[in-house]
Amino acid sequence: MTQPDLAVSTVIFALRGTSSENMVLSLPLVRRIRSPFEGTWALPGGPLGDEEDLAQAAGRNLRDTTGLEPRYLEQLYAFGQPDRSPDNRVVSIVYWALVGGDEFAATFDDENVQWFDADDLPTLAFDHALIVEYALWRLRNKLEYSRLAHGFLEPTFTLAQLRKVYEAVLKRRLDPGNFRRTVEASGQVVPTGERLAGTNHRPPQLYRFNTAQGLIDPDPLTIRTALTHPGVAS
Amino acid sequence: MTQPDLAVSTVIFALRGTSSENMVLSLPLVRRIRSPFEGTWALPGGPLGDEEDLAQAAGRNLRDTTGLEPRYLEQLYAFGQPDRSPDNRVVSIVYWALVGGDEFAATFDDENVQWFDADDLPTLAFDHALIVEYALWRLRNKLEYSRLAHGFLEPTFTLAQLRKVYEAVLKRRLDPGNFRRTVEASGQVVPTGERLAGTNHRPPQLYRFNTAQGLIDPDPLTIRTALTHPGVAS
DNA sequence: CAGACTTCGTGTCATCCTGACTTTTACCCC
DNA sequence: GGGGTAAAAGTCAGGATGACACGAAGTCTG
């Protein structure tokens, strides 16, 4: 039996939009510059380094190819169908990541790296369309039951901002009152005591994520290095 | 960068016990016959064949090393810490499987394959203790919200048998009446019309799994659209 | 065959959770 | 000071869940 090639790829999510209104879930793709699928859009990825674990490899490949810094990183699935690459056999261990909405500028100014709306993707290389579909399902599912919009927001935020993140990802309107009730009851979020100024109405309370409370459905290994809060993040 | 070795291993679960009473969650382990960790118990596993996909490799390795036939098989996680093996670097793609409680006889009559209680495991090779712990967490978690005891039972079964499976896995007593109500309402199970004879009391209705209804949280390769799940808050 | 015994299966009720909706509060702007 | 706006709190009905009671349908025993 010949040893297959091993690759580590990542589906990166961010919210693009005009300042917390009309936000769209988006992801960066890279154009392949070699055969097979030369010229086709694909997920960022690369090989596994000798001294890296899988999550480190995912983060490094992500940074190297897009210039982005992940705020949340989690393993998605290992894909290994024999025919998923026409040439060598490749087993891809795929991660998914969240980056902040302000990170678009950080993306390499390169025509070979572009952002696409999650609902309007181009034709993708290999089985990457299936992978993205599954990552989207996982993101929405996790947001539903973990009650945490990991990594999309700044260190402090209002509940309205948090709600709009949920609405953009889930593509569904949420009742502000009920949202407040469930999120506050969950304990995932704590008020900072400060208020957001500069609005033309009653200034809302600012909140931050409750770092004391662990995540639901954790990875078996602690990937919490990338999870430390956006403000303190490496 | 040198290509790491790729292995496919499986955590196999079954319920052992005196005929649906006093059941214990158990798993078979194999004794390693070569270095490293020679003589230590480990998860069954092996290499990936040239023409196999990952799930096929997991099933084949499982059969080859234990003689068991899985009734349910799902990918668990890919483990790739650089130091998880003292010699070559090994990336393990781990599956978890369920086999029926009548399969113990099928296990190879080999002192190098033995069943252990999930609560009373020996020292395991590599990081397999961590892997088993995570697989246990996943099994219990999945049983909680999918309300489906995949693969532990015969094709037809009574609701009391199904409930005892849940009780053994979750290590918690469940109310028979409430269990009946929720399971019947879920539509995961349908009555066959026949009854179980040979009891010393009122003969219970037999049921079978509703194959028409898909699984929750499917693998990406069997993903179905139109999955509905409960919302955060509306 | 009568009655005890066992588990199956159904029913009831209080409580909690959720979604839909209303009301009050606090600020900005003119 | 009044109107506009969104924050924040409150109200209410319906559905799901847990605790528990009770009748139903068999076997077993004297």
Side-chain angles (χ1 to χ4, degrees), chain B residues 151-206:
Chain B
F152 278 129
L153 291 170
E154 301 300 309
T156 66
F157 49 87
T158 68
L159 288 190
Q161 290 170 338
L162 184 64
R163 177 172 49 82
K164 287 189 199 313
V165 168
Y166 276 94
E167 290 179 344
V169 174
L170 302 177
K171 293 203 281 191
R172 195 174 73 222
R173 289 311 203 89
L174 303 176
D175 180 89
N178 296 337
F179 183 79
R180 168 180 303 275
R181 182 178 57 192
T182 55
V183 167
E184 283 183 337
S186 74
Q188 297 274 13
V189 106
V190 287
T192 64
E194 297 181 352
R195 293 176 169 279
L196 180 66
T199 62
N200 64 336
H201 54 79
R202 177 177 179 176
Q205 177 65 244
L206 284 171

Side-chain angles (χ1 to χ4, degrees), chain A residues 137-153:
Chain A
W137 179 86
R138 181 95 138 237
L139 166 66
R140 296 204 166 106
N141 201 262
K142 190 133 192 176
L143 231 63
E144 294 257 23
Y145 76 81
S146 74
R147 318 235 153 186
L148 179 57
H150 339 264
F152 279 128
L153 290 171

Side-chain angles (χ1 to χ4, degrees), chain A residues 26 56 67 108 150 163 182 231:
Chain A
S26 307
Q56 287 168 347
F108 287 160
H150 339 264
R163 178 172 47 84
T182 55

